Each structure stands twice: as structure tokens, then as C-alpha cells.
Amino acid sequence: MEGVVSVIPNHILKLHTTRSWDFMGFSNGTVGGSKEGEIIVALLDTGIWPESESFNDEGFGSPPSKWNGTCQGANFTCNNKLIGARYYNSDGDYDISDFKSPRDSLGHGTHTASTAAGREVDGASYFGLAKGTARGAVPNARIAVYKVCWYYGCALADIFAAFDDAIADGVDIISVSLGADWPLEYFEDPIAIGSFHAMKYGILTSSSAGNSGPFPVTVSNYAPWMLTVAASSIDRKFVAQVVLGNGQVYTGLSVNSFELNGTTFPLIWGGDAANVSAGYSSDISRYCIPDTLNSYKIKGKIVLCDILWDGSGVLLADGVGTIMADLITDFAFNYPNPLATILFSETWKDVMAPNVVSFSSRGPNPISPDILKPDITAPGVDILAAWSPVAPPSIYYLDTRSVDYNIISGTSMSCPHASGAAAYVKAAHPDWSPAAVKSALMTTAHVMDPRKHKDLEFAYGSGHINPLKATDPGLVYDASEADYISFLCKQGYDTSTLRLVTGDDSVCNSTQPGRAWDLNYPSFSLAVEDGNQIMGVFTRTVTNVGSPNSTYSAWVYMPTILNVTVEPSVISFSAIGEKKSFTVKVYGPMIWQQPIMSGAIWWTDGVHEVRSPLVVYTVLPGGAYSSYSMSDKKPVFKGSSIYHKNGILGNN
């Protein structure tokens, strides 16, 4: 049909499921409530619970004049804080638990919205744990929600439509805590395409890196025009203690909201309670998976399990509690009639924070090796935020308790932290481009400790977000739509495939496929094919956003194997907005099977420190240029999404 840009399988994507702001030194912003109030944060997620105190609009004025959105759905009311809400279900596939409105039945969207821009709520807690003030990064900003995720997942067609509406509605930041479990080419990736269109209209998309770590090359949402966020810990952790009948006490990480009041119960190993009638043996029941346990033996006991699970198998078999550990095995096996109790969780200080958590997806970039991903890390472990009271308050889906605030973990939680930080920078600098906001967050990030992360920047990118510092970065690496088009052409796209992403009349002309070393990115990534010499020449341009008259000097920290030069090594500015270019040359010996090694380049004027990581690693022959091929993959999809220049036409 005339105007149809592409037809793509309607993939089903997954959700990447507050002390945190204080932890990063962001107890109170300095931009001001009136400027924050002009910012609209959009969230593509599971919807929202509008009655939550985190979205109360007391003291809020009317929405910004740029707002063009709407509030959709029955029995759902927006206000001057939650100014818009839409929902999308192109397949018409509803679970009995789903609301046919923007109302959230899963809790995920409510949690992410309040983390990014929820207002301050005193006395929030999860059954008394983490009690304090819950708030988002920009508590005075407005929220617009676009419900694209349901019980079954998040459909590509709905994500496309939500991006279109969010752009037209006039939002400033788009937060997307979802993604695919497999690499997609940019022209097949709804988040890459949607965020590209958002970028064209001055909107930065902040996205989660995924929860497939610690395995390499698992990072999702890797397009260079979006911000990709890993998950790390904060200086608070929740622990529970197990007290054995012999007096020994063991401590483990656990958010335990059940009180046994010190009462001891018989302790049994799951392997000694196999559900034989259902055909299970000790080899299976030891893992305590649902239906594998003998309820006659389990009832009234604490069960020792040999794998991390949600505990539902023990609960379904009428057990009292679950212990997932190796240390207690000897006691359970060797003591006659072993007893134990589990204590209510308590809060401890984690002096080792921040650490990138194991589940956070790792780089390198599966599609564009010369673009370092993830970009940054943010708090994503044990985050307290608002919750849907009809959603289960634990990982067990049949948990019937109800809470207004919940503690959960994931890159889905780190993403809205970065989205809120981006909104804060945008409030301070409303005329900055998406690339400038992203650059400010990356170049001012707290430096992570490489001794605690063998994956280095493949785990944490440029470092840990620092919202206060990001409003005054000194210099920014800006980029435009034309820069990203040039990047795609060098990635091997021709005019036909390019337009599948841009949706317009862009062309690749005579651009030859090559490396992405000249994309004006705030970090440097050099993929070296096995057996080749280390060699890369990067060109960059920085824009002065600090002092009008300033001089910056380059400082380089690199492994001894690398020879890195910056030319020129001194750059001077005489006006805000002035641009200066420089070249980074990287040389070294031939390498094979080299894990990531990294250093950094700083520009400093004595006031600002503009830091960019530089990583070098090896790939298989041909891997430095080629992108991922989907030819041997069979993604799950329902129908086909037809992407029109002006939005979604329909669904087959």
C-alpha cells in the first residue's frame, strides 16, 4: 500500500523486571519545581495505578501547554500529575487478570513510573521493610503512561503505536523497561525504530539493558541513539537469618516479610520428600519445583532446597519456609530430628556498593561492535516504589496479599532511575538534544571499581549515574539524525533497509560500509579481529556548554599494551555552543582471544572532568564489521505489524 514503509513480524517482547536517590547524592534537586513541572516523562509499560499516593496531584498546576495527549479508558482518571494514559492491545488477547484500560494489574508499570517521577511519599515501606520517603528523580514532573504490556507480554505493534502517540503527545523523555531476549537488526526492532523517531523530535529514549547476565553479548536495546542502562546495587541490602537447632546462625540475602516469631520447625531436605506418586525422584524433588514434593512429608516443615526458586513448590506442599543454601546441608543430614527457624528480614548497609548485579545483561554490542553498550548503570537492586494493590506482592503469582509499595529488582528498575535523571537534565537544559542529555549523563558518571567487575565496561558502561553533576558537564558529544543515518549506512544498510528504520526518504548515496569510529559517541569501542594488530582512529567533536572562555587539556589512562594519543591535546573555547574536533589514535600489538581491556580519556578545564571510557577486545574474523543475522532464529510473534510513515496501519 502507498505509504507503507515495512511489514515486520509482531514479536512479543518481555518486561525487564528508595534509598537509591540518597545513595547517589541526589537527595534534593536544584533545578526547581517549576522547571521540573514543564517536563513530561512517558513510560511504555504495564500501565499504572492512578490512585497511588505517588501520583497525587495536590499542589500541581495545569499540564504544560505543549501537552497534546489524552486520558483513555473506563474507570480511570488522570490528574495534573498523571496527565495522560493510553492502552494498546492489537491482538485482543486478554488474561482474566488484565484490565482493559491503562490500569496496572501487574505492578511493574506503577513501580517504574514512581521510580522515575513519583512524588514524595513519607512512610512508604514493604511490610515495614525499607521504611522512609519514596520518590522519583523529578517529583514535580508530569507522567504519561502508555500500556503496551499485558500478562502475556508486550507486542511489537503496540510498542510502535505507543511511540507514535508519545511523540505526538509532546513528551520529553521516554522510559522503556522492556526488550527482546534475542538480538534484532535495527530495522526489525520496534524500540530501535520508535526511539529513532523520538530522537528526530528531540526526545531521548532510556531503555533497560536486560536481565540475561552475567553472560556476554546479551545486552538488549543497543542502538546508539538510545540510552542503555545496566543495574547495580545500592548501599542497602536485605538479609534474613536462619537459626538451626544446634544454635548455629546463617545469614542470606532475602526479602522475607513473614514472621515465625522464633518458633522452630522440623527441617527436611527436599530430596527426602519426593512426590513418588507423581513420578518424581529425589534427583528432581531436591530442587523443590512445584508438584515434585510429597506434601505429607513437607507439611509443617522448613525445606532445604538445592536451587534458587520462588519457594512456591514448598508453599504448595504446605511447607512453612524455604532455605536455599549448601551450608546447612550437613546439619540437615547428620543431626537427628533437625530443627530450624527463619527470622524476619532486616536491613544492613552494603559497604561494597555499587556493584553491577549478576543478572544485568552484558556487552559487547551484538549488532554494532564499535558502539559500547551498556551506556551506564543505575540502581536496580531491592528498589522500593509504588505498586498495584491487585498485583501479587512477591514472585509467587498466587500470593493474595496486597501492598501499595513493593521491593523488586531488575534492569527494569535501573532504567527509570536513568530516565528520571535524564528528565532532570532536560529540565535544567530544555533546549538540549537527546544526544547532549545522554552525553552529560555518561561523561559525568561515577567511575566504577574495575577490580570488582571482570567484565569492566561491558557490565557498567561509562559508570554510575550522577544526576546532580550531569547538569553541568562542561562539554557534550552531540549528534543529529544525519549522524545516525551515516552510521547506519556504514553498518551496511542500503537506502531500502535504511528507510525501514527512518520511515522517510533518507538515502545512503555512495557511503561505503566501514567502522563506526566517526559517530560522535561519548565512549570509544575498538573490536579487533583475532590475529590482527590493534589499530583504530576515532574522530570526535565536543560542544562547549560550560564556561564561555575555557581551555581543556586531555589526560589519558590506558593499559600499557595500548598506545593512545589525542590530537590536539589542548582545545580552547571562547563561547558557549562553540564546537571543537579532535582525533584519538589507538595502536598496539597483534592480539588473539583478548578479553576486554579498558582505560579512559579525560578532558578537564580545572572545573569540569569530561570522561569517556575506551575499550579494546577481540572478535572472531569478520566480527568487527558484521551485524547479527536473524536467519537461523525463530522469534515468537503473533501476526505482522505494518509500520506506516504516520504510525501503525494494522495487524495481520
Side-chain angles (χ1 to χ4, degrees):
M1 294 175 61
E2 178 68 26
V4 174
V5 176
S6 65
V7 180
I8 310 171
N10 190 18
H11 307 302
I12 304 299
L13 307 188
K14 292 184 178 180
L15 295 162
H16 283 157
T17 225
T18 359
R19 170 69 194 156
S20 53
W21 297 115
D22 292 342
F23 168 65
M24 65 183 83
F26 190 52
S27 299
N28 291 292
T30 59
V31 168
S34 60
K35 290 185 177 180
E36 283 187 11
E38 291 297 310
I39 298 298
I40 306 169
V41 180
L43 296 106
L44 276 59
D45 215 295
T46 66
I48 197 168
W49 194 264
E51 292 83 10
S52 170
E53 276 301 306
S54 290
F55 315 121
N56 187 305
D57 72 343
E58 182 179 355
F60 277 73
S62 299
S65 58
K66 63 186 176 185
W67 174 243
N68 299 311
T70 187
C71 192
Q72 183 186 38
N75 300 315
F76 189 98
T77 304
C78 295
N79 57 33
N80 287 328
K81 171 65 175 175
L82 172 59
I83 61 174
R86 299 176 185 264
Y87 69 101
Y88 312 81
N89 192 318
S90 54
D91 289 321
D93 187 0
Y94 296 95
D95 182 74
I96 190 173
S97 64
D98 287 326
F99 292 110
K100 295 182 180 180
S101 78
R103 187 173 293 278
D104 181 13
S105 63
L106 298 174
H108 191 276
T110 303
H111 199 280
T112 57
S114 64
T115 300
R119 66 178 305 157
E120 295 180 346
V121 178
D122 295 330
S125 74
Y126 177 73
F127 295 107
L129 288 170
K131 190 171 185 178
T133 300
R135 73 172 182 92
V138 278
N140 297 298
R142 318 303 177 118
I143 294 173
V145 298
Y146 301 82
K147 183 176 178 179
V148 297
C149 298
W150 305 81
Y151 185 82
Y152 68 84
C154 323
L156 178 151
D158 299 332
I159 296 169
F160 270 140
F163 265 108
D164 268 356
D165 284 341
I167 294 167
D169 288 348
V171 307
D172 297 286
I173 301 292
I174 297 177
S175 186
V176 185
S177 288
L178 54 97
D181 282 341
W182 59 89
L184 294 171
E185 290 282 1
Y186 297 128
F187 60 78
E188 286 190 324
D189 185 344
I191 301 175
I193 296 172
S195 60
F196 187 94
H197 286 256
M199 173 273 300
K200 291 200 297 184
Y201 287 90
I203 304 165
L204 175 63
T205 299
S206 172
S207 56
S208 50
N211 299 327
S212 299
F215 304 107
V217 205
T218 53
V219 64
S220 61
N221 299 324
Y222 31 74
W225 48 84
M226 68 174 77
L227 180 67
T228 309
V229 190
S232 47
S233 59
I234 61 175
D235 63 344
R236 178 189 66 192
K237 60 183 179 181
F238 300 103
V239 301
Q241 294 182 321
V242 175
V243 182
L244 302 181
N246 62 359
Q248 288 184 301
V249 179
Y250 293 93
T251 300
L253 294 175
S254 177
V255 181
N256 176 38
S257 57
F258 297 95
E259 180 64 77
L260 297 182
N261 298 310
T263 304
T264 59
F265 295 87
L267 177 64
I268 187 173
W269 176 52
D272 287 335
N275 186 353
V276 177
S277 298
Y280 295 105
S281 66
S282 175
D283 291 336
I284 301 298
S285 67
R286 60 192 291 237
Y287 300 122
C288 304
I289 297 170
D291 301 325
T292 66
L293 294 170
N294 181 337
S295 60
Y296 296 102
K297 289 186 176 182
I298 293 298
K299 186 173 183 179
K301 294 182 176 67
I302 292 174
V303 185
L304 178 64
C305 304
D306 287 350
I307 195 174
L308 291 174
W309 201 258
D310 65 2
S312 59
V314 173
L315 184 63
L316 290 170
D318 295 326
V320 174
T322 305
I323 301 171
M324 304 172 193
D326 296 326
L327 293 173
I328 301 171
T329 304
D330 287 343
F331 174 77
F333 285 170
N334 299 324
Y335 277 72
N337 303 315
L339 300 174
T341 190
I342 303 173
L343 305 183
F344 194 88
S345 281
E346 53 188 272
T347 304
W348 286 12
K349 184 175 180 64
D350 185 357
V351 297
M352 297 299 289
N355 283 323
V356 175
V357 71
S358 62
F359 62 69
S360 185
S361 293
R362 264 58 169 183
N365 192 319
I367 297 294
S368 303
D370 291 327
I371 302 298
L372 176 61
K373 290 289 180 172
D375 291 308
I376 208 163
T377 189
V381 179
D382 292 342
I383 303 301
L384 176 75
W387 195 249
S388 169
V390 300
S394 68
I395 195 172
Y396 181 47
Y397 73 100
L398 291 179
D399 190 341
T400 58
R401 296 174 298 165
S402 177
V403 297
D404 295 322
Y405 290 83
N406 199 359
I407 298 172
I408 56 176
S409 301
T411 54
S412 282
M413 285 63 257
S414 60
C415 172
H417 277 90
S419 305
Y424 181 74
V425 175
K426 186 71 172 179
H429 304 284
D431 58 334
W432 280 10
S433 70
V437 173
K438 174 179 173 177
S439 172
L441 290 169
M442 292 173 64
T443 62
T444 61
H446 290 290
V447 180
M448 297 288 283
D449 188 346
R451 297 169 299 179
K452 296 187 286 185
H453 304 89
K454 68 176 182 179
D455 303 307
L456 303 178
E457 281 78 6
F458 288 162
Y460 48 71
S462 294
H464 193 285
I465 60 169
N466 184 354
L468 280 178
K469 197 173 180 181
T471 59
D472 184 22
L475 304 174
V476 295
Y477 294 82
D478 209 351
S480 66
E481 177 188 359
D483 295 318
Y484 296 121
I485 288 174
S486 176
F487 159 80
L488 288 170
C489 293
K490 287 191 174 182
Q491 290 291 288
Y493 283 50
D494 57 20
T495 295
S496 176
T497 52
L498 173 68
R499 291 177 179 178
L500 300 181
V501 177
T502 65
D504 56 23
D505 297 328
S506 299
V507 295
C508 279
N509 290 326
S510 58
T511 303
Q512 295 297 315
R515 306 300 289 267
W517 296 340
D518 63 348
L519 179 64
N520 205 35
Y521 212 69
S523 60
F524 301 84
S525 177
L526 177 55
V528 180
E529 295 182 6
D530 270 342
N532 283 9
Q533 189 173 6
I534 298 172
M535 192 284 291
V537 179
F538 301 83
T539 56
R540 293 291 190 269
T541 299
V542 286
T543 303
N544 182 27
V545 295
S547 304
N549 296 292
S550 55
T551 298
Y552 286 81
S553 299
W555 184 72
V556 177
Y557 170 77
M558 293 290 161
T560 55
I561 191 176
L562 298 178
N563 179 17
V564 177
T565 60
V566 180
E567 300 174 359
S569 60
V570 177
I571 50 178
S572 296
F573 299 90
S574 58
I576 294 177
E578 186 178 359
K579 299 177 182 292
K580 289 293 176 72
S581 298
F582 63 94
T583 300
V584 175
K585 297 180 179 180
V586 184
Y587 295 100
M590 289 196 308
I591 54 175
W592 298 264
Q593 297 295 310
Q594 173 65 52
I596 179 176
M597 50 184 171
S598 67
I601 297 170
W602 275 268
W603 287 102
T604 179
D605 64 350
V607 177
H608 305 93
E609 290 187 350
V610 187
R611 179 182 180 274
S612 295
L614 186 153
V615 304
V616 177
Y617 66 103
T618 53
V619 294
L620 295 175
Y625 293 87
S626 61
S627 59
Y628 191 90
S629 172
M630 288 293 293
S631 59
D632 61 343
K633 299 296 179 182
K634 302 296 182 184
V636 177
F637 64 90
K638 295 185 177 181
S640 297
S641 165
I642 303 176
Y643 187 58
H644 188 269
K645 288 181 180 179
N646 298 317
I648 299 294
L649 278 181
N651 193 248
N652 291 341

